């Protein structure tokens, strides 16, 4: 990694070190995570909300006896009355929670870097510096001035090197995704033709009917409505009086742009077979008896391959991009977890191959936001 020398407290990777010496807590391939890095990021995780809220961070749990943490808890009203054993349990639980968060973060940060190398991603120092300055300006609260930045650093436990390292990780993650999405956007004419032939129904504008309908609850009423329509009655006057369907009752029985499937099945069959202008029915359905007249038929149209190409291409790109994203998510853990070994006491799921298999934690591929505490 090009930034090893500049990030003294961050993770040392690749050419910066090798093996798994006694002061390392994990190793991803040949890239170790030092105890110094772990301890530093424990502080950052513990102080995560202090800079933004102004509320003082709790005492960092100090194993194995948690003496300082217990003493600090005794001065906190909410926990001051608890016994020493209870306070120790609370401190130990907080330490384990912080350890899990920090180890997953540091390990998966190396995974992002490794995934970037696998995809040929190259992020320059100039890109990092530019993105870092943009991050400062966009931050809430603002970190635009040196005074604001220094205040944040003092209260968060982070360093400028940490923030630039996080910026680097974000750029790598975004670059991976951008490259995969670009690759997934490539579509051939043969793919478009195959998609069109397989999904021809998607490119059909269905036949539509403009019609008038009156629904009645009984056959005798329906026959009476037919007689009235055939002797000069109109749907506009008869629907409000006789229709039991609130929609047609309120609009004089008029329906426009009706497609197959929008009517009761028995009515739909007869309506799409009827002649324009003829009073038809009664048609018995589970909902009642219908009398109708088809006013206009707009025939359905099937787009040609040429007409459908743009829409088909868009659909294929969407499918390929979704598949690429799913593949990246599915492969991320499968590829990198087996390469990761963590020291006993620091082995956490889902990042460490030797972690106790007692949880079902999920890991996803890089999203451009891999930050602990800031």
């Amino acid at each position: 990694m090009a930034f090893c020398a500049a990030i003294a407290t961050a993770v040392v990777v690749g050419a910066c070190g090798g093996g798994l010496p006694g002061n390392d807590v994990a190793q991803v391939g040949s890239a170790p995570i030092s105890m110094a890095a772990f301890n530093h990021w424990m502080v950052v995780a513990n102080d995560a909300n202090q800079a933004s809220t102004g509320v003082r961070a709790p005492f960092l749990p100090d194993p194995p006896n948690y003496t300082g943490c217990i003493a600090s808890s005794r001065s906190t009203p909410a926990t001051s009355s608890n016994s020493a054993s209870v306070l120790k349990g609370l401190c130990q639980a907080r330490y384990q929670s912080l350890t899990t968060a920090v180890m997953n973060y540091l390990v998966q940060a190396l995974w992002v870097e490794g995934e970037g190398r696998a995809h040929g991603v190259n992020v320059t120092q100039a890109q990092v510096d530019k993105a870092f300055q943009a991050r400062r300006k966009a931050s809430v609260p603002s970190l635009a001035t040196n005074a604001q930045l220094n205040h944040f650093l003092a209260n968060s436990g982070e360093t400028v090197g940490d923030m630039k390292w996080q910026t680097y990780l974000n750029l790598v993650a975004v670059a991976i995704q951008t490259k995969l999405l670009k690759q997934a956007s490539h579509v051939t004419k043969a793919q478009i033709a195959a998609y069109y032939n397989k999904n021809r129904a998607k490119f059909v504008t269905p036949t539509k009917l403009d019609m008038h309908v009156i629904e009645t609850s009984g056959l005798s009423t329906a026959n009476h409505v037919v007689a009235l329509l055939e002797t000069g009655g109109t749907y506009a006057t008869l629907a409000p009086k006789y229709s039991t369907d609130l929609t047609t009752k309120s609009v004089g029985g008029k329906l426009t742009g009706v497609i197959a499937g929008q009517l009761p099945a028995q009515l739909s069959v007869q309506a799409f077979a009827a002649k324009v202008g003829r009073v038809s029915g009664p048609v018995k359905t589970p909902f009642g008896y219908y009398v109708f007249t088809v006013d206009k038929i707009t025939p359905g149209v099937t787009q040609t391959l040429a007409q459908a190409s743009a829409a088909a291409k868009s659909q294929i790109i969407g499918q390929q991009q979704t598949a690429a994203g799913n593949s990246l998510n599915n492969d991320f853990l499968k590829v990198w977890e087996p390469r990761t070994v963590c020291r006993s006491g620091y082995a956490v799921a889902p990042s460490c191959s030797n972690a106790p298999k007692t949880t079902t934690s999920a890991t996803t591929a890089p999203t451009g936001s891999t930050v602990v505490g800031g």
Side-chain angles (χ1 to χ4, degrees), residues 40-56:
H40 169 71
W41 285 98
M42 285 288 281
V43 173
V44 173
N46 187 66
D47 297 353
N49 297 319
Q50 185 170 261
S52 59
T53 65
V55 178
R56 185 171 182 175

Side-chain angles (χ1 to χ4, degrees), residues 317-328:
I317 289 174
Q319 291 177 355
Q320 291 184 165
Q321 290 182 340
T322 298
N326 290 339
S327 177
L328 181 61

Side-chain angles (χ1 to χ4, degrees), residues 213-227 229-230 235 266-267 270-271 278-285 288-293:
V213 179
I214 293 176
E215 177 188 350
T216 67
S217 57
L219 178 59
S220 60
T221 303
N223 285 326
H224 182 60
V225 169
V226 170
L229 288 169
E230 290 179 338
Y235 283 94
Q266 299 86 348
L267 176 60
Q270 295 205 32
R278 177 179 295 179
V279 177
S280 301
V283 178
K284 183 180 180 181
T285 77
Y289 292 85
Y290 287 85
V291 177
F292 69 92
T293 300

